[in-house]
Amino acid sequence: MLRGLWHLTWLEIKIFLREPMGAIGTIVFPVILFVALGRAVGGRPTPRSLGAISFVTVGLPVLAAVLIALGAVSSLVTIIAIYREGGILKRLRATPLRPQTILTAHVLVKLLLSALSLLLMVVAGKRYYPVDVQVPVFGFTMALLISTWSILSLGFLIASIVPTARFAQPISGAILYPMIAVCGLFVPIQALPPVLRAMARVTPLTYAVSLLEGIWKGEAWSAHLGDVASLAVVFAVCVALSAKVFRWE
Amino acid sequence: MGIAPVIEVSGIRKAYGRTVAVDEVSFTVNPGEIFGLIGPNGAGKTTTMECVEGLRTPDRGAISILGMDPFRDVYRLQVRIGVQLQQAQLQKRIKVWEAVALWASLYPKPVEGKRLLERLGLGEKRNAKFMTLSGGQKQRLFIALALINDPEVVFLDELTTGLDPQARRAIWDLVRGIRERGKTVFMTTHLMEEAERLCDRVAIIEHGRIIDIGSPDELVGRHCPERTVMLSTEHGLAEERLRAMPQAEEVTRQDSRFTVRGRGDDFVTEVIHCLSENQIRVTDFRTMLPNLEDVFLKLTGHSIRD
Ligand SMILES: Nc1ncnc2c1ncn2[C@@H]1O[C@H](COP(=O)(O)OP(=O)(O)OP(=O)(O)O)[C@@H](O)[C@H]1O
Ligand SMILES: [Mg+2]
C-alpha cells in the first residue's frame, strides 16, 4: 500500500529541478567528466596508447556509470538527512505516508535522474567512439539501474541513521570512497592484498562494476547472474536493516 | 455531562533516558471544546501531545482517542485527526498549492484545497514556495494541512510562538473558527493570554506533571480569589466607609487615590454598592482581576517566563 507514491515522486522531481545547481551537478557532472577524460586520454589514438583506448572504451563508461550511482547515493543520503533535520520527515510521518513510500519516492527520483544522466552520456559518447563499436545501450542502462538500485539501498541504510545533514556527506564519503578504491576498476581484484580483497567481496560496488563492465563489453547476462544475485542480496539486507533502524527525527 | 470524551489520558509516563519528561499525566478532552495544555519550556507539553497523536509511545499509562489506541491504531487514527507540529518544516521549494494537493491525495475525503487556502488567507500565496513564506503564513499553511482531511480532532502545538501580536490575533480567530465547525481542538501554549482568550479548559503542566485542570475562570476563582479595586475620590468620608466594609481586607490611601483589596467574585459589586449607598462620587474606578498568569505564579512559585 504505497498511497501517495506517484504524487510524492512527481513532486520531488519538480522540487529537485527547482534547485538549478543541484540538478545540473547531479545530472551533468558525470557527463562532463566523461567527455573531458575521453578528450584527454583518447583524443588521438596512437599505437602507444592502446591501454588508454581500452580505458576509454570500457573503463571510462563504467567509471562514469559508477559515479552516477554514487552521486545518486550521496544525494539520497543528504536529502533524507536534511528532511530529518528540518522536521520534514516528522511532518510527513503524521500523515498516512509510510517511510517506505517516502524512501521509494526518493529512490525513484534518483533512478530517473541516473537514467537521464546516462542518456546524456551516451549522446556525448557517440562523438568519442569509433562508429563500428557496438554499445549495448539498453542492456547497459538496465545494468546501471540494477546497480544503482542496489547501491541506493546502502544509501537507504546510511540515510536511515545519519543524525544531521552535516554528517551526511562525510559519512557517506567514508563508506563510498573506499568502495571505489577496491571495486576492481583501477586495480584488478586479484592484485589486491587479502584484506582489501575480502572487503571488495562484500561491497555492492564490486559486483556493480563487474556487471557493468561485462554488459558493456557485450557479455551475456547469464554470465553475470552471480553479480545480479549479489546486488539483490545487498538490496534485501539493506532494506530490511534500514526498516529496523529508520529514524524519523 | 454524559458525553463520552474525545481524548482520555490516564496516568501516562514518558522518560528519555534519565529525563522523566512526563509523569502521572491524566486528563480528558470533551467534544467540541478547545483544550489547552499550558506550561513553561520543557514542561512536557509536546511529549504529552505527541503521545496522544501516536507519534511517541508512553512508557506507562493508557490513552484513548476517538475510542482508539493511538499507537496500535495509528493508521486508522491519522485519517480522523489533523496535526500541526511544533517544529516542522516542509521542503524549501515546495509550493503552497503543491503541499496542499499532496496532503489531499493522502486522505480518502479531503476538503477542497483552494477554498481552504482562501479561508486561511493564503489564496494569493498559492504559488509561493514554502521558503518564501513569513512565519505567520507558514503557520497558516500548517493549519491548512492539519484541516485538509476534515478531521474530528485538531492538534496545535505552540501555534503562535514567534509571531507578532497581530498575526497571533488572526490565528486565534482561525482557531475559534475551527471550534465553530464543531471540531475538537487540543492545543499547547506557554502564553497565558493565549490560553485565557482561546481555551474552554486548560491543564497546567510543570516538570512533567499536571498541577490543575479547569476553565480559566474556575482556575482563577479556585487559586486566586483576591480582587483589587482602585478608585479616586475627593469625598471626605470615603476612607472611613470603605474601611467599614466587612469584605475589605486592606485599604490603602495616597491622597485621593484608594486601593481596596478583598476576595471573592462578589467583592467588586460590594465596593460599588458601598460607593452608591454613601453617595461617594468617584473620578476613577479600576478593577484588577487575577488571571492565569497569577494562577501559575501561585501554583508554582515562579512566573511562566522564568
Ligand atoms: N526526543 C527527546 N529526547 C530526549 N529528551 C527529550 C526529547 N524530547 C523532549 N525531551 C525532554 O523532555 C522534556 C519535555 O520536553 P517537551 O518537548 O515535551 O517540552 P515542552 O513542554 O513541549 O517544551 P517547549 O515549550 O519548549 O516546547 C524536556 O526536558 C526535554 O529536554
Ligand atoms: Mg513543545
Side-chain angles (χ1 to χ4, degrees):
Chain A
M1 224 295 289
L2 296 178
R3 191 191 272 271
L5 178 62
W6 301 118
H7 204 122
L8 186 61
T9 307
W10 174 232
L11 195 54
E12 291 292 351
I13 291 174
K14 285 199 287 185
I15 292 172
F16 180 78
L17 294 177
R18 275 178 203 154
E19 191 163 27
M21 285 319 287
I24 290 173
T26 320
I27 301 172
V28 181
F29 182 68
V31 182
I32 293 175
L33 195 74
F34 171 71
V35 171
L37 270 177
R39 273 236 159 108
V41 187
R44 286 156 259 105
T46 64
R48 270 193 302 133
S49 61
L50 269 178
I53 289 180
S54 127
F55 179 68
V56 172
T57 51
V58 181
L60 191 50
V62 173
L63 176 63
V66 164
L67 284 180
I68 291 175
L70 294 184
V73 172
S74 84
S75 79
L76 176 76
V77 172
T78 307
I79 203 156
I80 297 293
I82 291 174
Y83 278 26
R84 178 180 295 115
E85 203 173 355
I88 300 171
L89 280 186
K90 192 170 171 190
R91 185 61 193 86
L92 293 176
R93 181 189 181 189
T95 70
L97 276 176
R98 306 282 171 271
Q100 310 88 285
T101 314
I102 298 167
L103 284 169
T104 308
H106 283 282
V107 167
L108 288 178
V109 174
K110 298 303 166 212
L111 283 179
L112 199 80
L113 297 174
S114 302
L116 193 63
S117 200
L118 187 71
L119 190 77
L120 285 176
M121 204 169 87
V122 168
V123 171
K126 284 257 190 268
R127 292 195 49 193
Y128 299 96
Y129 291 97
V131 201
D132 57 323
V133 173
Q134 273 308 308
V135 179
V137 173
F138 179 73
F140 190 70
T141 309
M142 289 309 295
L144 179 63
L145 290 186
I146 292 173
S147 303
T148 309
W149 188 277
S150 170
I151 299 170
L152 273 176
S153 71
L154 190 65
F156 246 59
L157 187 57
I158 307 172
S160 297
I161 48 181
V162 283
T164 66
R166 237 158 25 104
F167 282 114
Q169 288 295 345
I171 290 180
S172 47
I175 295 173
L176 299 179
Y177 290 128
M179 280 176 24
I180 303 182
V182 300
C183 70
L185 201 51
F186 302 102
V187 185
I189 309 268
Q190 278 68 31
L192 291 171
V195 179
L196 294 185
R197 216 182 305 158
M199 224 175 94
R201 216 164 287 133
V202 296
T203 76
L205 202 56
T206 312
Y207 302 102
V209 166
S210 161
L211 176 67
L212 288 165
E213 255 179 11
I215 299 299
W216 184 265
K217 284 195 248 170
E219 292 169 16
W221 279 86
S222 54
H224 289 278
L225 287 183
D227 294 330
V228 175
S230 307
L231 290 171
V233 168
V234 168
F235 176 78
V237 169
C238 288
V239 168
L241 273 180
S242 60
K244 279 247 181 316
V245 299
F246 189 80
R247 291 178 15 182
W248 289 96
E249 44 182 316
Chain B
M1 287 206 293
I3 307 164
V6 171
I7 298 171
E8 224 171 337
V9 173
S10 44
I12 62 163
R13 175 193 168 94
K14 173 83 183 172
Y16 304 102
R18 287 216 192 124
T19 318
V20 179
V22 164
D23 200 6
E24 295 286 328
V25 164
S26 305
F27 58 89
T28 57
V29 179
N30 300 318
E33 75 175 346
I34 301 181
F35 182 86
L37 202 52
I38 58 179
N41 291 133
K45 303 183 293 295
T46 299
T47 302
T48 305
M49 181 174 266
E50 293 190 353
C51 284
V52 179
E53 293 162 349
L55 297 178
R56 301 186 197 198
T57 27
D59 306 329
R60 256 214 310 268
I63 302 174
S64 151
I65 164 168
L66 296 166
M68 292 182 270
D69 175 315
F71 196 69
R72 238 181 329 109
D73 305 324
V74 65
Y75 294 148
R76 274 202 302 144
L77 180 63
Q78 275 168 350
V79 180
R80 295 175 61 187
I81 64 173
V83 169
Q84 176 262 330
L85 300 169
Q86 182 177 5
Q87 272 161 344
Q89 294 287 320
L90 293 179
Q91 293 91 323
K92 278 187 350 200
R93 290 179 170 77
I94 197 171
K95 291 182 180 172
V96 168
W97 72 265
E98 290 172 337
V100 172
L102 173 65
W103 255 250
S105 79
L106 300 175
Y107 294 96
K109 280 189 228 120
V111 300
E112 205 206 314
K114 196 166 170 231
R115 276 242 297 282
L116 183 60
L117 285 178
E118 267 155 24
R119 198 170 83 193
L120 295 176
L122 282 175
E124 282 169 15
K125 287 284 171 184
R126 275 171 47 81
N127 272 312
K129 291 179 190 148
F130 180 74
M131 61 182 191
T132 65
L133 299 179
S134 72
Q137 289 163 346
K138 282 181 183 163
Q139 290 298 39
R140 282 160 201 260
L141 175 56
F142 282 121
I143 298 181
L145 298 182
L147 296 178
I148 192 80
N149 55 332
D150 199 19
E152 291 156 63
V153 188
V154 183
F155 292 87
L156 306 171
D157 195 357
E158 306 250 351
L159 193 56
T160 63
T161 302
L163 301 187
D164 58 48
Q166 204 183 344
R168 188 168 283 157
R169 265 158 230 278
I171 300 252
W172 289 346
D173 285 337
L174 294 176
V175 176
R176 291 195 194 100
I178 298 174
R179 175 180 54 191
E180 266 147 39
R181 278 155 206 271
K183 306 190 185 312
T184 306
V185 179
F186 179 15
M187 58 176 279
T188 75
T189 181
H190 60 256
L191 300 172
M192 291 297 176
E193 189 194 354
E194 182 163 294
E196 215 147 47
R197 298 207 173 196
L198 218 47
C199 296
D200 300 308
R201 284 192 315 130
V202 299
I204 297 179
I205 183 170
E206 202 203 26
H207 298 311
R209 287 170 180 272
I210 289 193
I211 312 178
D212 203 0
I213 303 180
S215 73
D217 285 347
E218 267 167 27
L219 289 178
V220 170
R222 198 178 302 156
H223 299 286
C224 300
E226 306 85 358
R227 300 285 181 273
T228 305
V229 173
M230 292 191 297
L231 55 92
S232 301
T233 178
E234 305 289 345
H235 196 283
L237 292 174
E239 183 166 5
E240 183 187 321
R241 293 287 140 91
L242 286 170
R243 283 190 196 283
M245 273 176 63
Q247 299 86 350
E249 294 174 357
E250 187 191 339
V251 178
T252 54
R253 175 175 186 179
Q254 217 178 15
D255 303 328
S256 62
R257 296 174 52 79
F258 293 84
T259 305
V260 191
R261 289 180 219 279
R263 54 183 62 228
D265 282 338
D266 290 336
F267 179 67
V268 177
T269 318
E270 302 289 347
V271 173
I272 293 173
H273 190 70
C274 165
L275 295 175
S276 73
E277 206 165 49
N278 296 290
Q279 298 191 338
I280 299 172
R281 290 168 53 91
V282 296
T283 54
D284 189 12
F285 186 94
R286 269 178 285 173
T287 57
M288 283 192 7
L289 304 181
N291 53 23
L292 277 182
E293 196 97 44
D294 301 297
V295 172
F296 189 85
L297 187 65
K298 185 79 144 266
L299 287 176
T300 67
H302 62 84
S303 153
I304 193 164
R305 285 187 258 272
D306 292 326

